[in-house]
Amino acid sequence: MRMRKQFIGWLTILGAMVALALISGVVSAPATIALVLMYAFLLGGSLIDFRANELIEKSRATFTAAKMSPDAREAVERARRRGSLAGAGFNLLDIGLIATATTDRGLDMRRTRSASKDDDGVRPFITLQVEPYQADRMTVVRYEMIDQNGQTAYVHEMKTYLRDGVMNILADHQLPLYGYEDTVAAGDWDLRVSVDGALIAAHSFSVAPSVDERLGRSRRAADGPQQQAARRIATPDVSDSPVSLEELLRSQEADAPSSRSSGRRN
């Protein structure tokens, strides 16, 4: 709401006329009540602009904020502190990393905030709520990963066609980890996401050393050529692995309550 000051002058004059009519005593009681109610109605309608569109937008923003994940809230707030200039029309609902690791059972995929150099690699993703007036157009989503030394270790831009509603956007390429001990620094990293050149999220995560690094030995010495080849050519069990980002996130959300329940029983 806001005060519309351009109407104060004539409202003051009208109020003075109503007051004189009431003081004179020549106006009957029903007429007095009618004058007061009419003046109050004019006063409210002239001084207060309710801005219905703004109220609707605020209601939508409140509803969207309730659907945001804790990671998304933190990432948006960190982006704001960095001077984010993200435009209206889409809201970040979720953000994270998908880590993959080839094991003897096949390809293991999981959402994580703590990757390991024993993983094959990690791919970033975001979930956006797109408003209708921002839909049906191409946009550029840019992912950047900054290592603990402040060096840009990963940059990936992808053109994405925006559709009305909720969209999961997974990067096409991953940051390789396994076999890159010498070039990938362990420590605290940042994932920064921009849409059409505007920063919308700054997500923190960590990269842990591999088991061999922790034991102080070279992976090449620890793994013989046969073991390395077997790990590289292991084929995933398609029946057990999620086939899309949506299925992976849904399966992990379903597993979360059961994990918490088993923890309480222990």
Side-chain angles (χ1 to χ4, degrees):
M1 295 186 298
R2 66 173 182 177
M3 301 297 291
R4 297 196 286 185
K5 298 181 179 180
Q6 64 268 32
F7 298 119
I8 293 179
W10 74 266
L11 283 172
T12 302
I13 297 173
L14 182 60
M17 294 174 63
V18 171
L20 288 175
L22 296 178
I23 294 173
S24 65
V26 298
V27 182
S28 63
T32 300
I33 295 174
L35 281 173
V36 172
L37 291 177
M38 181 182 66
Y39 182 73
F41 177 77
L42 291 173
L43 182 65
S46 300
L47 293 183
I48 301 176
D49 181 4
F50 287 97
R51 291 187 176 184
N53 291 334
E54 287 190 5
L55 292 177
I56 293 174
E57 287 297 326
K58 288 181 180 179
S59 299
R60 287 178 178 173
T62 301
F63 180 71
T64 301
K67 297 191 296 182
M68 293 174 65
S69 70
D71 287 345
R73 291 193 188 94
E74 179 185 334
V76 169
E77 180 58 31
R78 293 184 73 220
R80 286 175 180 165
R81 292 199 298 265
R82 286 169 167 77
S84 171
L85 298 176
F90 48 80
N91 299 282
L92 185 73
L93 299 184
D94 202 3
I95 186 172
L97 297 168
I98 302 299
T100 58
T102 307
T103 68
D104 55 357
R105 295 171 299 169
L107 185 65
D108 175 62
M109 298 176 63
R110 72 187 192 283
R111 174 177 180 164
T112 186
R113 196 165 177 173
S114 178
S116 166
K117 291 193 201 178
D118 288 313
D119 293 321
D120 289 339
V122 289
R123 284 199 288 171
F125 77 91
I126 57 173
T127 301
L128 290 181
Q129 172 76 49
V130 182
E131 298 299 332
Y133 65 89
Q134 283 283 20
D136 303 324
R137 67 179 182 89
M138 294 296 297
T139 189
V140 177
V141 178
R142 178 184 175 91
Y143 296 101
E144 296 179 76
M145 295 188 198
I146 315 299
D147 68 17
Q148 70 161 11
N149 299 317
Q151 301 298 315
T152 302
Y154 172 97
V155 176
H156 178 62
E157 289 188 351
M158 52 190 295
K159 291 184 177 180
T160 303
Y161 187 76
L162 294 181
R163 292 179 173 83
D164 181 14
V166 177
M167 291 187 63
N168 290 312
I169 305 174
L170 178 67
D172 298 328
H173 303 286
Q174 69 176 3
L175 169 73
L177 295 175
Y178 183 80
Y180 287 82
E181 293 93 338
D182 297 336
T183 57
V184 176
D188 296 326
W189 288 47
D190 267 348
L191 165 64
R192 299 174 188 173
V193 184
S194 302
V195 176
D196 287 336
L199 180 67
I200 66 167
H203 179 64
S204 62
F205 67 99
S206 63
V207 175
S210 66
V211 172
D212 291 329
E213 284 181 301
R214 294 174 187 175
L215 295 176
R217 64 188 182 186
S218 168
R219 171 159 279 156
R220 293 185 180 87
D223 291 348
Q226 292 181 348
Q227 289 175 304
Q228 293 186 32
R231 187 181 189 279
R232 286 197 298 270
I233 66 174
T235 56
D237 185 349
V238 177
S239 61
D240 294 336
S241 300
V243 296
S244 67
L245 175 61
E246 291 84 352
E247 290 183 3
L248 175 62
L249 297 179
R250 194 180 305 120
S251 66
Q252 293 200 339
E253 288 175 357
D255 292 341
S258 60
S259 299
R260 290 192 292 267
S261 299
S262 62
R264 287 195 295 269
R265 286 195 298 270
N266 293 336

